[in-house]
Structure formats: structure tokens, C-alpha cells
Amino acid sequence: MIEAVSLPADISPQVAEIAQQLGVQTQLPRVIAMTQAVFPGDRWRVEIDEDPEIADEIHLAIIVETQLGSVDELVDSQWRWHEQLFLCCPAPLAPVFRLSTESRA
């Protein structure tokens, strides 16, 4: 399990509030630390992702701006992220988090 105790300073108060409302305030720092381990050196941010079609369906989107060189590397990293997500939080809370990758190339 990846340990982290506090949110990074650049997490917005709105994201912190939604994390608390969704019951993942403890898991969010762990998910961020895991994301940094899976995508070392890449920029990341956390955004609130509201489903436009389903009322009150809210997720935390972890957006990674990556410079991975190939599609295979990107897919491998995405698989690792999803596998390690379950080490960061209990399975019922994992669906709160979404991964999105953007190319910086």
C-alpha cells in the first residue's frame, strides 16, 4: 500500500471538499502518490468530473500529461495505474477515481 498523509498544496479546496463528500479524503493523497510513481516526471492535476447525463454522478479525474514514447508504454502505464488503484483504496471507493492521459509530445 502506498502511504500518504496529506494532500499536496496545489489541490484546490473544491477538490478537497468533493473528496470529503465522496468519502475518499484519506485515499486521494494515496492515489496521487501512486499516480506520481506510475507516471514519474509527468505533470498531473485533479479535476471534478460531473456526469452531464446522470444527476449527482461525480468523480475525481486524475489527469496526467505524459511524454510516454509509445502507445504500448502508455497502455502499460494505464493498466498499472488501475491495478494499483486497489492498493490505495477499498474496491467500493475505487470507482470514484478516473484516469485520463493527455500527450505532451
PDB file of all heavy atoms in Angstrom, residues 69-83:
ATOM      1  N   GLY A  69       6.686   7.461 -24.750  1.00  0.00           N
ATOM      2  CA  GLY A  69       7.090   7.411 -26.149  1.00  0.00           C
ATOM      3  C   GLY A  69       6.244   6.582 -27.079  1.00  0.00           C
ATOM      4  O   GLY A  69       6.184   6.848 -28.263  1.00  0.00           O
ATOM      5  N   SER A  70       5.558   5.563 -26.554  1.00  0.00           N
ATOM      6  CA  SER A  70       4.809   4.697 -27.457  1.00  0.00           C
ATOM      7  C   SER A  70       3.438   4.382 -26.872  1.00  0.00           C
ATOM      8  O   SER A  70       3.202   4.539 -25.671  1.00  0.00           O
ATOM      9  CB  SER A  70       5.564   3.389 -27.689  1.00  0.00           C
ATOM     10  OG  SER A  70       5.527   2.580 -26.522  1.00  0.00           O
ATOM     11  N   VAL A  71       2.575   3.906 -27.739  1.00  0.00           N
ATOM     12  CA  VAL A  71       1.244   3.507 -27.300  1.00  0.00           C
ATOM     13  C   VAL A  71       1.344   2.355 -26.310  1.00  0.00           C
ATOM     14  O   VAL A  71       0.627   2.317 -25.307  1.00  0.00           O
ATOM     15  CB  VAL A  71       0.376   3.107 -28.519  1.00  0.00           C
ATOM     16  CG1 VAL A  71      -0.949   2.502 -28.078  1.00  0.00           C
ATOM     17  CG2 VAL A  71       0.134   4.314 -29.417  1.00  0.00           C
ATOM     18  N   ASP A  72       2.267   1.409 -26.564  1.00  0.00           N
ATOM     19  CA  ASP A  72       2.435   0.277 -25.649  1.00  0.00           C
ATOM     20  C   ASP A  72       2.828   0.742 -24.250  1.00  0.00           C
ATOM     21  O   ASP A  72       2.319   0.221 -23.253  1.00  0.00           O
ATOM     22  CB  ASP A  72       3.482  -0.706 -26.182  1.00  0.00           C
ATOM     23  CG  ASP A  72       2.992  -1.481 -27.396  1.00  0.00           C
ATOM     24  OD1 ASP A  72       1.758  -1.559 -27.600  1.00  0.00           O
ATOM     25  OD2 ASP A  72       3.837  -1.993 -28.146  1.00  0.00           O
ATOM     26  N   GLU A  73       3.733   1.715 -24.162  1.00  0.00           N
ATOM     27  CA  GLU A  73       4.141   2.245 -22.848  1.00  0.00           C
ATOM     28  C   GLU A  73       2.963   2.911 -22.144  1.00  0.00           C
ATOM     29  O   GLU A  73       2.782   2.739 -20.936  1.00  0.00           O
ATOM     30  CB  GLU A  73       5.269   3.269 -23.009  1.00  0.00           C
ATOM     31  CG  GLU A  73       6.594   2.689 -23.397  1.00  0.00           C
ATOM     32  CD  GLU A  73       7.633   3.780 -23.629  1.00  0.00           C
ATOM     33  OE1 GLU A  73       7.301   4.807 -24.265  1.00  0.00           O
ATOM     34  OE2 GLU A  73       8.765   3.599 -23.168  1.00  0.00           O
ATOM     35  N   LEU A  74       2.178   3.651 -22.907  1.00  0.00           N
ATOM     36  CA  LEU A  74       1.026   4.337 -22.325  1.00  0.00           C
ATOM     37  C   LEU A  74       0.000   3.333 -21.809  1.00  0.00           C
ATOM     38  O   LEU A  74      -0.477   3.442 -20.675  1.00  0.00           O
ATOM     39  CB  LEU A  74       0.380   5.276 -23.342  1.00  0.00           C
ATOM     40  CG  LEU A  74      -0.852   6.039 -22.860  1.00  0.00           C
ATOM     41  CD1 LEU A  74      -0.523   6.896 -21.646  1.00  0.00           C
ATOM     42  CD2 LEU A  74      -1.419   6.879 -23.984  1.00  0.00           C
ATOM     43  N   VAL A  75      -0.321   2.334 -22.619  1.00  0.00           N
ATOM     44  CA  VAL A  75      -1.298   1.319 -22.204  1.00  0.00           C
ATOM     45  C   VAL A  75      -0.791   0.564 -20.978  1.00  0.00           C
ATOM     46  O   VAL A  75      -1.545   0.315 -20.033  1.00  0.00           O
ATOM     47  CB  VAL A  75      -1.624   0.362 -23.373  1.00  0.00           C
ATOM     48  CG1 VAL A  75      -2.441  -0.827 -22.896  1.00  0.00           C
ATOM     49  CG2 VAL A  75      -2.368   1.116 -24.467  1.00  0.00           C
ATOM     50  N   ASP A  76       0.488   0.217 -20.970  1.00  0.00           N
ATOM     51  CA  ASP A  76       1.073  -0.478 -19.817  1.00  0.00           C
ATOM     52  C   ASP A  76       0.952   0.375 -18.553  1.00  0.00           C
ATOM     53  O   ASP A  76       0.576  -0.122 -17.493  1.00  0.00           O
ATOM     54  CB  ASP A  76       2.542  -0.822 -20.090  1.00  0.00           C
ATOM     55  CG  ASP A  76       3.180  -1.551 -18.929  1.00  0.00           C
ATOM     56  OD1 ASP A  76       2.657  -2.615 -18.525  1.00  0.00           O
ATOM     57  OD2 ASP A  76       4.202  -1.040 -18.411  1.00  0.00           O
ATOM     58  N   SER A  77       1.235   1.653 -18.662  1.00  0.00           N
ATOM     59  CA  SER A  77       1.136   2.554 -17.505  1.00  0.00           C
ATOM     60  C   SER A  77      -0.304   2.699 -17.037  1.00  0.00           C
ATOM     61  O   SER A  77      -0.576   2.739 -15.833  1.00  0.00           O
ATOM     62  CB  SER A  77       1.725   3.923 -17.843  1.00  0.00           C
ATOM     63  OG  SER A  77       3.106   3.809 -18.060  1.00  0.00           O
ATOM     64  N   GLN A  78      -1.222   2.769 -17.968  1.00  0.00           N
ATOM     65  CA  GLN A  78      -2.636   2.866 -17.590  1.00  0.00           C
ATOM     66  C   GLN A  78      -3.097   1.603 -16.858  1.00  0.00           C
ATOM     67  O   GLN A  78      -3.813   1.698 -15.860  1.00  0.00           O
ATOM     68  CB  GLN A  78      -3.503   3.113 -18.824  1.00  0.00           C
ATOM     69  CG  GLN A  78      -3.314   4.491 -19.415  1.00  0.00           C
ATOM     70  CD  GLN A  78      -4.000   4.662 -20.761  1.00  0.00           C
ATOM     71  OE1 GLN A  78      -4.244   3.694 -21.488  1.00  0.00           O
ATOM     72  NE2 GLN A  78      -4.304   5.899 -21.102  1.00  0.00           N
ATOM     73  N   TRP A  79      -2.680   0.433 -17.340  1.00  0.00           N
ATOM     74  CA  TRP A  79      -3.019  -0.823 -16.663  1.00  0.00           C
ATOM     75  C   TRP A  79      -2.441  -0.856 -15.262  1.00  0.00           C
ATOM     76  O   TRP A  79      -3.121  -1.239 -14.307  1.00  0.00           O
ATOM     77  CB  TRP A  79      -2.507  -2.036 -17.458  1.00  0.00           C
ATOM     78  CG  TRP A  79      -3.480  -2.488 -18.498  1.00  0.00           C
ATOM     79  CD1 TRP A  79      -3.389  -2.285 -19.841  1.00  0.00           C
ATOM     80  CD2 TRP A  79      -4.700  -3.205 -18.297  1.00  0.00           C
ATOM     81  NE1 TRP A  79      -4.460  -2.830 -20.485  1.00  0.00           N
ATOM     82  CE2 TRP A  79      -5.285  -3.406 -19.553  1.00  0.00           C
ATOM     83  CE3 TRP A  79      -5.338  -3.686 -17.162  1.00  0.00           C
ATOM     84  CZ2 TRP A  79      -6.494  -4.073 -19.713  1.00  0.00           C
ATOM     85  CZ3 TRP A  79      -6.541  -4.355 -17.328  1.00  0.00           C
ATOM     86  CH2 TRP A  79      -7.105  -4.546 -18.584  1.00  0.00           C
ATOM     87  N   ARG A  80      -1.165  -0.430 -15.120  1.00  0.00           N
ATOM     88  CA  ARG A  80      -0.528  -0.412 -13.793  1.00  0.00           C
ATOM     89  C   ARG A  80      -1.283   0.513 -12.853  1.00  0.00           C
ATOM     90  O   ARG A  80      -1.486   0.203 -11.680  1.00  0.00           O
ATOM     91  CB  ARG A  80       0.936   0.023 -13.897  1.00  0.00           C
ATOM     92  CG  ARG A  80       1.887  -1.139 -13.887  1.00  0.00           C
ATOM     93  CD  ARG A  80       3.323  -0.711 -13.861  1.00  0.00           C
ATOM     94  NE  ARG A  80       3.604   0.013 -15.098  1.00  0.00           N
ATOM     95  CZ  ARG A  80       4.286   1.137 -15.186  1.00  0.00           C
ATOM     96  NH1 ARG A  80       4.814   1.685 -14.135  1.00  0.00           N
ATOM     97  NH2 ARG A  80       4.475   1.733 -16.344  1.00  0.00           N
ATOM     98  N   TRP A  81      -1.683   1.671 -13.352  1.00  0.00           N
ATOM     99  CA  TRP A  81      -2.420   2.636 -12.524  1.00  0.00           C
ATOM    100  C   TRP A  81      -3.709   2.000 -12.003  1.00  0.00           C
ATOM    101  O   TRP A  81      -4.013   2.080 -10.813  1.00  0.00           O
ATOM    102  CB  TRP A  81      -2.730   3.899 -13.323  1.00  0.00           C
ATOM    103  CG  TRP A  81      -3.319   5.004 -12.492  1.00  0.00           C
ATOM    104  CD1 TRP A  81      -2.643   5.992 -11.837  1.00  0.00           C
ATOM    105  CD2 TRP A  81      -4.718   5.229 -12.220  1.00  0.00           C
ATOM    106  NE1 TRP A  81      -3.533   6.819 -11.176  1.00  0.00           N
ATOM    107  CE2 TRP A  81      -4.810   6.372 -11.400  1.00  0.00           C
ATOM    108  CE3 TRP A  81      -5.890   4.581 -12.595  1.00  0.00           C
ATOM    109  CZ2 TRP A  81      -6.018   6.880 -10.950  1.00  0.00           C
ATOM    110  CZ3 TRP A  81      -7.107   5.081 -12.142  1.00  0.00           C
ATOM    111  CH2 TRP A  81      -7.156   6.220 -11.328  1.00  0.00           C
ATOM    112  N   HIS A  82      -4.451   1.363 -12.897  1.00  0.00           N
ATOM    113  CA  HIS A  82      -5.717   0.758 -12.484  1.00  0.00           C
ATOM    114  C   HIS A  82      -5.507  -0.406 -11.514  1.00  0.00           C
ATOM    115  O   HIS A  82      -6.276  -0.569 -10.570  1.00  0.00           O
ATOM    116  CB  HIS A  82      -6.533   0.315 -13.704  1.00  0.00           C
ATOM    117  CG  HIS A  82      -7.170   1.462 -14.403  1.00  0.00           C
ATOM    118  ND1 HIS A  82      -6.563   2.138 -15.441  1.00  0.00           N
ATOM    119  CD2 HIS A  82      -8.345   2.092 -14.188  1.00  0.00           C
ATOM    120  CE1 HIS A  82      -7.355   3.121 -15.840  1.00  0.00           C
ATOM    121  NE2 HIS A  82      -8.439   3.121 -15.102  1.00  0.00           N
ATOM    122  N   GLU A  83      -4.488  -1.198 -11.730  1.00  0.00           N
ATOM    123  CA  GLU A  83      -4.187  -2.287 -10.796  1.00  0.00           C
ATOM    124  C   GLU A  83      -3.815  -1.756  -9.423  1.00  0.00           C
ATOM    125  O   GLU A  83      -4.276  -2.259  -8.399  1.00  0.00           O
ATOM    126  CB  GLU A  83      -3.048  -3.153 -11.337  1.00  0.00           C
ATOM    127  CG  GLU A  83      -3.432  -4.008 -12.515  1.00  0.00           C
ATOM    128  CD  GLU A  83      -2.249  -4.717 -13.137  1.00  0.00           C
ATOM    129  OE1 GLU A  83      -1.080  -4.347 -12.870  1.00  0.00           O
ATOM    130  OE2 GLU A  83      -2.489  -5.662 -13.890  1.00  0.00           O
TER     131      GLU A  83
END
